[in-house]
Structure formats: structure tokens, C-alpha cells
Amino acid sequence: MLNLVLFGPPGAGKGTQSTRLVEKYGLIHLSTGDVFRANIKGETELGVLAKSYMDKGQLVPDEVTIKMLKSEVMKYENPKGFIFDGFPRTNAQADALDHFLEEIDSSISQMISLDVEEEELKTRLANRAKDSGRVDDADPKVIQNRISVYRAETAPVKEHYKKQGKWTKVDGLGSIDDITERLFSAIDKL
Ligand code: AMP
């Protein structure tokens, strides 16, 4: 299996690029944010809980997120691999993912970080807010909180994969096509 963690701060382009990676490599795109949003729309118990954190730009608790991720992965029979988008976001999630994949005789192939500076992120998120309808994109205070949470809790997750020799950085600035080409070439080298 080819299992990629597509990593980067909010607004780095993980969702946009995932669509292209799915097309080229036939992987399953698993975005924890998308699953939470679907649950909010469906007014499930998980959705109600997730919303109370998401609206403030906070992380949904690890226990809840890990359980949800596992059940999503288990939905697929003989997958070619996954693109994990927005997961893992804490070291506890990264440990849980390693153990879980080991149980199913698999592992993470590589974490690929999309590198984008903070000012550019804020501009992209403000633009996305115009058409995404996402509550957490609309309020600058919530955006700032998501970036702070990213810095404090999520950015350190890189070290987890660096230690395993499974980390690649890709420049996330420039046109969407250019970034896709960089990603393809990084993945083709694996
Ligand atoms: P995203 O779509 O990846 O930007 O995620 C939107 C929001 O969903 C985040 O700000 C968190 O509140 C929540 N969320 C998504 N993925 C995770 C995760 N792995 N752990 C905790 N919360 C998450």
C-alpha cells in the first residue's frame, strides 16, 4: 500500500492537491475535517460534538478522532493506499496511526509537508471563506486560533516521521499545477 500523510497548516492546499493525487495514484482520500463536516450536516452525535470544537478552531479530542479515523479506514476492502489529509494532528494521533496500520500489516510510506508561509495562508483562507461556506474560515480570530493550534500541537508531528526517515518537504507556493508537479515528482521518487 502507498500511504501518504499530506501535511501542512490550514490553507496549505492539502484538499486541492489530494484530488489530483487521487486521480494519478488511485488512492483513497481520507480527510478527517471532511468526515466531521459530513457528520455535522447529517446531525449525528459525532457531528454535534465535533462542531463544538471546530467552530472555535480547536482540535476535536484525540480519542474521538482516532476512533473515527479507524472506522473510516476499515470501510475499504483491499485499498491501494490512503492519503491522510488533516490527520494525524497530534503526536498521540501519529502513534495511534502507526499502531493501527501495523495491526493491518501496513504502515505510513511518507509524510509530505506542503510548505507555505503564514501571510499567504491567511490570504488563502480569507478567499476560501467566500465560497466554502465554512464557519471556521470566516472569522479571523478562528483562523488565527487554527494557525496557533497548528504551530503548538500539529507542527511537532513532523518530528515523528523525520525520526523514521519518512519526511519530505514540498514548496507549497506558486500555481496549483506547479505544486502538483512537485508532489508527483516527490512521490515518484519514493
Ligand atoms: P480541516 O478540514 O482539516 O481544516 O479541519 C477542520 C477542523 O476539523 C479542525 O480545525 C479541527 O477542529 C477538526 N479536525 C480535523 N481533523 C482533525 C484531527 N485530526 N484532530 C482533531 N481535530 C481535527
Side-chain angles (χ1 to χ4, degrees):
M1 273 164 83
L2 176 65
N3 292 316
L4 303 173
V5 174
L6 193 56
F7 195 68
K14 302 187 292 291
T16 306
Q17 295 298 337
S18 288
T19 314
R20 292 164 171 227
L21 300 184
V22 164
E23 268 171 32
K24 176 150 163 111
Y25 299 100
L27 304 173
I28 292 156
H29 177 218
L30 223 162
S31 152
T32 41
D34 284 352
V35 177
F36 286 139
R37 281 183 288 276
N39 275 275
I40 292 174
K41 215 169 165 199
E43 298 178 353
T44 68
E45 209 177 306
L46 174 64
V48 173
L49 179 90
K51 186 172 164 43
S52 66
Y53 294 92
M54 289 167 77
D55 283 355
K56 292 183 232 148
Q58 295 169 353
L59 294 182
V60 178
D62 282 338
E63 209 187 288
V64 177
T65 307
I66 291 164
K67 189 171 160 218
M68 176 278 265
L69 189 278
K70 286 183 184 174
S71 84
E72 286 299 314
V73 169
M74 296 313 286
K75 282 184 185 168
Y76 300 92
E77 238 174 83
N78 296 320
K80 264 181 137 177
F82 291 91
I83 301 173
F84 296 102
D85 164 3
F87 185 95
R89 260 177 157 100
T90 63
N91 277 322
Q93 292 180 12
D95 284 334
L97 183 61
D98 280 353
H99 291 138
F100 170 58
L101 289 176
E102 210 178 307
E103 274 166 31
I104 57 169
D105 285 327
S106 192
S107 60
I108 288 297
S109 314
Q110 195 80 359
M111 167 185 266
I112 302 182
S113 280
L114 280 173
D115 191 33
V116 181
E117 51 167 293
E118 196 164 305
E119 276 316 302
E120 170 72 12
L121 295 174
K122 288 184 187 157
T123 312
R124 289 189 191 177
L125 289 171
N127 284 334
R128 185 168 82 183
K130 288 177 201 147
D131 10 75
S132 74
R134 278 179 58 166
V135 180
D136 60 347
D137 284 342
D139 181 344
K141 268 192 247 132
V142 175
I143 291 180
Q144 190 55 54
N145 200 23
R146 285 162 66 205
I147 294 175
S148 305
V149 168
Y150 175 81
R151 269 205 229 113
E153 295 190 56
T154 305
V157 177
K158 280 201 273 268
E159 302 306 323
H160 179 97
Y161 294 96
K162 273 188 188 170
K163 269 190 245 153
Q164 300 181 8
K166 292 180 177 175
W167 186 72
T168 305
K169 184 164 89 170
V170 165
D171 181 3
L173 286 178
S175 76
I176 293 177
D177 285 346
D178 286 347
I179 300 164
T180 305
E181 283 309 316
R182 286 177 211 141
L183 285 169
F184 286 172
S185 97
I187 294 167
D188 291 340
K189 278 188 207 135
L190 295 178

